[in-house]
Amino acid sequence: MMKILLLEDDTVLSDILLDYLREYYDVTHTYSMKEALSLSEENSYDLYIFDINVPDGDGLTLLRELRSFYDETPTIFITAFHDTKYLTKAFASGANDFIRKPFELEELSVRIENIKKHFGLNLVVPLGDDMELNTQTHVLKTPKHLFHLTAKESELLLYLYRHKNRVISQDEMLQNLWKYDDLPSSDAIRTLIKELRKYVGKEHIINIRGEGYRFE
């Protein structure tokens, strides 16, 4: 199930959103920017939904900080502002979508589903060359074989795919795929990559010496 972190300080709106979204998604809610930052460090989410203004800060600053730590989780901003300067600031901060209050719940749902499609967040993700990954069962289907991946292999392959055509460093992998108290060694990461290259082919996961790996 898609995991969403919701930052919204309006109690009435947050209750409405939680009642609606929790029918379809796994939603964690907070009123605080600082708590949202802590939650993002401790957990992995598929989508952020941030209000721009909250009592202890603002969603724009939060997202800029997250992006500075290689966190590229898709983000939708919700706001009462109708001035286009906030729209500009939101996208400059790294936002992927923007919705103004008041809005219909169905509109938010459509935007979420569009994010899922664009970022490969559906249960079965096509990887190209007739390959697909089931993110729930961790089964990788290729034209000739079925591979049963470990959860971490599946998570790493999906991360590389979502950021395809960009070099992903080991530091970025560590910050986004492991908790601080469970960090693997460089050798362990190389072993994971080596196994994934066996499954999908070396031509799809390119080793950029001294920099990292790129999915093509």
Side-chain angles (χ1 to χ4, degrees):
M1 182 179 289
M2 186 180 194
K3 294 181 64 177
I4 297 175
L5 176 59
L6 171 65
L7 171 62
E8 173 56 65
D9 71 314
D10 184 318
T11 55
V12 174
L13 178 58
S14 62
D15 286 344
I16 292 172
L17 290 175
L18 289 173
D19 284 343
Y20 179 75
L21 293 175
R22 281 178 172 163
E23 291 188 33
Y24 312 98
Y25 313 106
D26 178 2
V27 184
T28 301
H29 171 244
T30 179
Y31 299 99
S32 162
M33 186 188 85
K34 291 180 180 178
E35 185 177 5
L37 181 59
S38 296
L39 286 166
S40 68
E41 293 173 345
E42 296 167 1
N43 304 279
S44 177
Y45 296 98
D46 299 306
L47 175 67
Y48 296 141
I49 301 178
F50 292 162
D51 194 357
I52 286 185
N53 279 342
V54 289
D56 62 344
D58 67 89
L60 298 175
T61 299
L62 172 60
L63 185 59
R64 282 195 295 269
E65 185 165 356
L66 291 170
R67 294 293 190 249
S68 72
F69 287 104
Y70 306 110
D71 186 337
E72 298 190 13
T73 303
T75 304
I76 299 174
F77 275 114
I78 52 178
T79 182
F81 293 116
H82 284 252
D83 193 322
T84 55
K85 72 178 182 180
Y86 290 100
L87 176 67
T88 302
K89 288 181 178 180
F91 286 113
S93 299
N96 303 95
D97 206 347
F98 189 97
I99 187 169
R100 293 184 175 93
K101 304 175 186 176
F103 55 84
E104 297 291 333
L105 293 172
E106 290 78 8
E107 180 185 353
L108 179 59
S109 180
V110 168
R111 292 176 183 272
I112 292 173
E113 291 302 310
N114 184 61
I115 290 282
K116 286 177 65 176
K117 180 179 179 181
H118 183 75
F119 284 88
L121 297 173
N122 289 313
L123 185 62
V124 177
V125 180
L127 303 178
D129 285 353
D130 294 324
M131 296 187 296
E132 60 183 33
L133 174 67
N134 187 308
T135 59
Q136 182 173 347
T137 63
H138 309 306
V139 171
L140 173 66
K141 181 181 179 182
T142 70
K144 294 183 179 180
H145 300 285
L146 286 178
F147 297 102
H148 294 269
L149 278 58
T150 66
K152 189 55 68 176
E153 286 173 342
S154 175
E155 187 179 3
L156 178 54
L157 178 57
L158 184 61
Y159 190 87
L160 290 169
Y161 170 75
R162 288 179 181 171
H163 302 88
K164 57 187 175 182
N165 300 321
R166 183 169 70 78
V167 178
I168 307 299
S169 67
Q170 285 198 12
D171 285 344
E172 180 174 345
M173 294 178 195
L174 291 171
Q175 290 190 29
N176 288 282
L177 299 175
W178 280 273
K179 294 182 179 179
Y180 180 77
D181 57 356
D182 193 34
L183 295 178
S185 65
S186 296
D187 287 342
I189 293 180
R190 282 194 290 269
T191 298
L192 278 172
I193 294 290
K194 183 179 179 180
E195 291 302 308
L196 290 179
R197 296 181 82 192
K198 289 180 183 177
Y199 304 145
V200 303
K202 295 180 180 180
E203 71 275 12
H204 287 296
I205 299 179
I206 309 300
N207 182 4
I208 309 300
R209 188 176 298 275
E211 296 183 38
Y213 303 91
R214 183 176 67 235
F215 188 98
E216 294 185 349

